[in-house]
Amino acid sequence: MIDTPTEKSQDNRKKVTVPCTFGLNDDTPRNGMVTSLSIKRCFVKTKAWAKDGMEMHIKLWLPEQRWLPLRATVLYSMEKVGFELSFADLTPVETEALRGLIGGA
């Protein structure tokens, strides 16, 4: 899928260092580090395996010392490096929390 210029301008990812946990259900037993983030996508640095198209639960650690649980889909993965996720069905509260993380980066 190729992003249009408008979609790209809305997806300005910022370099971040945000601890996360992820998994196939909301238990999210694996951990990693989000290294780039926008209100649409993120890249998770981890040696854990992920398959393109896989639906995942991810929790991002917020500066307020709490987890932000989200649902996402794997866009692509790089073996032993990490994977990119696209967030699904964000609520206004989740969107604002992501904006806060991006702004604080």
Side-chain angles (χ1 to χ4, degrees), residues 2 10 19 27 37 54 63 66 70 79 94 101:
I2 298 174
Q10 292 174 353
D27 185 33
L37 179 67
M54 180 182 286
R66 66 179 180 88
L70 302 168
E79 188 175 342
E94 292 167 340
L101 278 174

Side-chain angles (χ1 to χ4, degrees), residues 11-17 34-38 101-103 105:
D11 192 38
N12 291 329
R13 279 188 279 180
K14 303 289 184 189
K15 289 186 179 185
V16 296
T17 304
V34 172
T35 58
S36 70
L37 179 67
S38 76
L101 278 174
I102 296 163

Side-chain angles (χ1 to χ4, degrees), residues 4-56:
T4 66
T6 302
E7 289 169 330
K8 281 191 177 206
S9 67
Q10 292 174 353
D11 192 38
N12 291 329
R13 279 188 279 180
K14 303 289 184 189
K15 289 186 179 185
V16 296
T17 304
V18 178
C20 70
T21 62
F22 59 90
L24 298 179
N25 56 46
D26 58 8
D27 185 33
T28 64
R30 305 253 183 224
N31 59 37
M33 188 68 63
V34 172
T35 58
S36 70
L37 179 67
S38 76
I39 59 169
K40 290 179 148 189
R41 300 177 183 172
C42 71
F43 187 85
V44 177
K45 184 176 179 183
T46 181
K47 292 183 180 179
W49 175 87
K51 183 179 177 184
D52 296 1
M54 180 182 286
E55 291 188 19
M56 279 204 186

